[in-house]
Amino acid sequence: MNKIDVVCGVLIKNDKYLITQKRGGKDHCLWEFPGGKVNPNETCFEAIYREIKEELGISIVPKNEIMRYEFDIYNLIFIECLPKNKTTNVTLNVHLDYKWVTPTQINDFDFVGGDLKFINAIFKILQN
């Protein structure tokens, strides 16, 4: 069976990272890097732009793919993104909450299982 491609936006502003709290489902109240499924005939950069706009009302500039790995039935693709505008007024369309956090604050939140490998690989390095 083919894995489902899912993009995860790693939004960075003033050395802080945007995380969002899930609403509903088995991961209700857990935190994640926002994103979603890649549609057919859509690039990963197009998908992350669309997903962030739909979920949070933010226009972003996708910069580069940071990491990719399989988790459960998904291919998770983490993409570094920058907000297009200096003011990033977040609108919560599907999430309970959001926070801009420093790398050292990441460990204060309970994340969805799929994001843990990314967090352990990237943020553990930054904290050393």
Side-chain angles (χ1 to χ4, degrees), residues 15-110:
D15 297 323
K16 291 189 175 181
Y17 296 80
L18 182 72
I19 60 173
T20 53
Q21 191 176 32
K22 290 183 68 82
R23 174 186 300 168
K26 69 177 179 69
D27 291 331
H28 180 69
C29 288
L30 294 179
W31 292 83
E32 68 176 353
F33 290 94
K37 293 178 186 145
V38 178
N39 290 332
N41 303 317
E42 189 176 48
T43 68
C44 291
F45 278 21
E46 291 167 340
I48 197 61
Y49 181 88
R50 175 185 51 75
E51 286 286 347
I52 298 299
K53 188 72 171 164
E54 288 173 4
E55 292 183 1
L56 302 169
I58 301 174
S59 291
I60 52 121
V61 179
K63 298 302 272 183
N64 65 292
E65 182 180 312
I66 302 171
M67 179 181 264
R68 171 187 298 238
Y69 56 86
E70 292 182 4
F71 178 82
D72 197 17
I73 61 168
Y74 305 104
N75 285 319
L76 298 179
I77 305 155
F78 291 83
I79 298 173
E80 176 187 358
C81 306
L82 300 176
K84 213 176 228 181
N85 305 311
K86 286 189 180 12
T87 57
T88 47
N89 296 323
V90 174
T91 303
L92 295 172
N93 294 318
V94 297
H95 295 94
L96 288 173
D97 199 2
Y98 76 93
K99 300 214 179 296
W100 289 97
V101 298
T102 64
T104 54
Q105 292 171 318
I106 285 281
N107 293 322
D108 296 339
F109 297 87
D110 290 327

Side-chain angles (χ1 to χ4, degrees), residues 17 66-67 117-127:
Y17 296 80
I66 302 171
M67 179 181 264
K117 182 175 179 179
F118 172 76
I119 290 166
N120 288 332
I122 302 302
F123 291 99
K124 296 292 190 234
I125 293 167
L126 293 173
Q127 292 175 22

